[in-house]
């Protein structure tokens, strides 16, 4: 009898064990189904957000690249490099044309996630890389106005020995909207800057449809969208456009700090409001790959290009008249410094093509490399 009870006990335990295993399997299946469902929901959400972007799918494969030595290509391949264009497109009403008053190169180290920014002065005298007028030289910001993002990216690659294949374009209203959603940016303002900022705010407010308050004078302020954009537009102080690009990079730096410290709701609002005001060549997949490491990015040094110039502006007669331009002294030595700064090289040698452009700029302007003491 005892033996029979023992057998029945084993059978009962076996049934409990099998039921327990079946329950565990069901739980695993349910968990997997939930994860798949969440994955689908995330995919739908992300795609919904990405659809808000004006993606320039036709840009891929366009003629923007230049021939570079394999050694240079290998170094550049270790980084993600994107051209950023801030447009004054009030007259155009689109991202196809317009003077690019902001021209930045963002370099992302794929390993360390460090981001470096370089502003190319909008008035820099460079070769336009215009396929219809191959010998044309003008201010850097004219390239976008003439040939849109394709020519603007090609212009950067041609003059700077770069291999940029992606761009992001935005206008005043996108920056103003982003700053407001992020809660403003805290920046110290001088007395002279305050006066010019207030003047710029009048026009910026009309363009963006946003309100602002005039600043009473020098001090540290939490600037709203209109004020921050106006701060980045100031050029009538000591330093002219050189100081102006410093202000633009400072606004970008402050915005990045705010974004990295934001909660999910703020980021969601930022995407909904700003994405429709941006045009980019980046695909959904490329954006998602970059976004995966968003909170690991860290801002490194930033700089303005050209590093070395002759005086602050030089009056140059070309095309339809005389204009004040920023002239690199000379282009070849500045491109070497650019590669050293962005990619950590120490003995970069410019291509024959850039050396030829450098010689032509010197010939047309009379501005040559500064002698090193």
């Amino acid at each position: 009898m005892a033996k029979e009870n023992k057998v029945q006990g084993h059978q009962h335990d076996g049934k409990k064990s099998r039921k327990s295993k079946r329950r565990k399997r069901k739980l695993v299946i349910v968990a997997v189904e939930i994860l798949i469902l969440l994955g689908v929901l995330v995919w739908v959400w992300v795609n919904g957000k990405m659809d808000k972007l004006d993606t320039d799918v036709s840009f891929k494969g366009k003629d923007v690249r230049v021939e570079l030595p394999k050694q240079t290509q290998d170094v550049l391949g270790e980084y993600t490099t994107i051209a950023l264009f801030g447009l004054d497109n009030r007259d155009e009403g689109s991202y196809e044309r317009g003077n690019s008053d902001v021209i930045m190169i963002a370099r992302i180290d794929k390993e360390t996630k460090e981001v470096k920014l370089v502003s190319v002065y909008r008035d820099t005298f460079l070769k336009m890389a215009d396929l219809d007028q191959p010998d044309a030289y003008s201010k850097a910001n004219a390239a976008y106005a003439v040939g849109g993002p394709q020519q603007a990216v090609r212009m950067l690659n041609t003059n700077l020995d770069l291999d940029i294949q992606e761009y992001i374009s935005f206008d005043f209203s996108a920056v103003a909207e982003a700053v407001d959603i992020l809660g403003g940016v805290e920046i110290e303002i001088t007395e002279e800057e305050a006066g010019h900022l207030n003047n710029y705010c009048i026009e910026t407010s009309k363009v963006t449809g946003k309100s602002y308050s005039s600043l009473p004078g020098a001090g540290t302020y939490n600037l709203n969208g209109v004020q921050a954009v106006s701060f980045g537009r100031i050029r009538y102080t000591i330093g002219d456009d050189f100081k102006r690009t410093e202000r633009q990079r400072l606004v970008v730096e402050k915005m990045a700090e705010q974004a990295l410290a934001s909660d999910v709701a703020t980021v969601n609002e930022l995407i909904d409001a700003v994405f429709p005001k941006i045009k980019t060549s980046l695909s959904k997949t490329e954006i998602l790959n970059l976004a995966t490491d968003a909170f690991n990015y860290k801002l490194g040094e930033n700089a303005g290009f050209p590093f070395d110039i002759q005086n602050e502006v030089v009056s140059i007669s070309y095309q339809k008249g005389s204009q004040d331009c920023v002239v690199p002294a000379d282009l070849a030595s500045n491109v070497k410094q650019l590669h050293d700064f962005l990619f950590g090289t120490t003995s970069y040698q410019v291509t024959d093509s850039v050396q030829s452009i450098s010689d032509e700029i010197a010939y047309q302007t009379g501005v040559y490399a500064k002698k090193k003491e």
Side-chain angles (χ1 to χ4, degrees):
M1 187 72 176
K3 186 176 181 180
E4 185 180 338
N5 287 338
K6 191 173 182 180
V7 171
Q8 288 177 347
H10 280 308
Q11 290 175 340
H12 182 68
D13 289 343
K15 289 180 181 179
K16 284 177 66 179
S17 177
R18 287 194 294 274
K19 285 182 179 178
S20 177
K21 287 179 180 178
R22 283 198 295 270
R23 277 199 300 270
K24 286 180 180 178
R25 281 198 296 270
K26 286 181 179 179
L27 286 174
V28 170
I29 292 170
V30 170
V32 170
E33 289 175 344
I34 290 173
L35 287 174
I36 292 172
L37 178 60
L38 286 174
V40 171
L41 291 174
V42 169
W43 183 85
V44 170
W45 180 84
V46 168
N47 272 273
K49 298 299 180 184
M50 294 298 109
D51 286 340
K52 295 176 183 291
L53 277 171
D54 184 0
T55 304
D56 187 358
V57 293
S58 66
F59 186 84
K60 302 294 187 184
K62 287 269 182 90
D63 187 14
V64 300
R65 305 182 73 180
V66 296
E67 188 175 341
L68 295 170
K70 183 180 184 304
Q71 184 179 1
T72 301
Q73 285 282 14
D74 290 343
V75 172
L76 299 184
E78 297 175 11
Y79 302 86
T80 299
T81 311
I82 303 171
L84 309 177
F85 301 110
L87 305 179
D88 181 355
N89 62 351
R90 287 164 289 175
D91 297 331
E92 297 294 334
S94 75
Y95 295 96
E96 298 303 318
R97 292 291 188 274
N99 284 327
S100 49
D101 285 351
V102 176
I103 306 173
M104 287 188 186
I105 299 167
R107 185 237 66 184
I108 305 170
D109 189 312
K110 294 179 181 179
E111 185 175 338
T112 67
K113 309 306 176 187
E114 181 195 52
V115 181
K116 282 190 175 182
L117 291 175
V118 171
S119 298
V120 177
Y121 303 129
R122 47 166 276 176
D123 293 335
T124 306
F125 190 65
L126 295 172
K127 188 171 187 176
M128 286 294 95
D130 189 334
L131 298 180
D132 296 326
Q133 301 182 65
D135 297 325
Y137 284 74
S138 186
K139 293 183 177 183
N141 71 337
Y144 202 111
V146 172
Q150 179 183 350
Q151 185 173 328
V153 171
R154 187 169 59 246
M155 179 271 296
L156 292 173
N157 288 339
T158 299
N159 289 276
L160 308 180
D161 272 353
L162 295 177
D163 190 28
I164 302 171
Q165 300 175 47
E166 308 293 352
Y167 79 90
I168 299 173
S169 295
F170 53 91
D171 62 10
F172 293 166
S173 60
V175 178
E177 188 72 31
V179 170
D180 284 341
I181 291 171
L182 291 170
V185 290
E186 189 173 286
I187 292 176
E188 185 177 354
I189 307 293
T190 67
E191 189 71 31
E192 187 180 18
E193 287 172 336
H196 290 300
L197 184 150
N198 290 335
N199 290 333
Y200 272 111
C201 277
I202 298 171
E203 183 186 22
T204 306
S205 178
K206 290 179 181 178
V207 172
T208 61
K210 290 178 166 291
S211 60
Y212 70 97
S213 298
S214 295
L215 301 183
T220 299
Y221 300 94
N222 189 56
L223 303 183
N224 73 358
V226 171
Q227 293 167 332
V229 169
S230 298
F231 175 73
R233 296 180 65 194
I234 298 171
R235 62 183 302 184
Y236 301 108
T237 61
I238 295 174
D240 297 317
D241 199 36
F242 314 107
K243 187 66 178 176
R244 177 186 176 202
T245 60
E246 283 185 25
R247 296 188 187 99
Q248 292 169 353
R249 294 194 299 275
L250 178 59
V251 170
V252 171
E253 183 179 335
K254 294 292 185 179
M255 290 174 67
E257 289 175 0
Q258 290 286 83
L260 291 174
S262 297
D263 55 26
V264 174
T266 301
V267 172
N268 187 53
E269 184 182 358
L270 194 65
I271 291 172
D272 286 340
V274 177
F275 270 25
K277 299 179 180 181
I278 291 175
K279 183 163 187 170
T280 181
S281 62
L282 292 163
S283 67
K284 291 180 181 180
T285 302
E286 289 165 334
I287 292 171
L288 288 174
N289 288 338
L290 289 171
T292 301
D293 294 313
F295 291 96
N296 294 322
Y297 293 142
K298 54 188 177 184
L299 282 175
E301 296 178 274
N302 61 71
F305 182 92
F307 298 88
D308 295 331
I309 59 172
Q310 180 65 42
N311 302 320
E312 292 199 345
V313 292
V314 177
S315 183
I316 301 173
S317 296
Y318 66 95
Q319 293 178 344
K320 296 183 179 179
S322 178
Q323 295 200 37
D324 290 337
C325 298
V326 174
V327 182
D330 61 359
L331 180 64
S333 61
N334 275 283
V335 170
K336 180 190 180 306
Q337 290 182 68
L338 178 69
H339 279 252
D340 291 349
F341 176 77
L342 286 179
F343 309 114
T345 57
T346 56
S347 56
Y348 182 74
Q349 296 295 318
V350 302
T351 60
D352 291 342
S353 175
V354 165
Q355 185 61 60
S356 177
I357 296 170
S358 182
D359 293 341
E360 180 63 23
I361 291 174
Y363 174 76
Q364 290 195 34
T365 64
V367 174
Y368 295 86
K370 292 182 176 181
K371 291 182 179 179
K372 302 296 182 183
E373 294 182 3

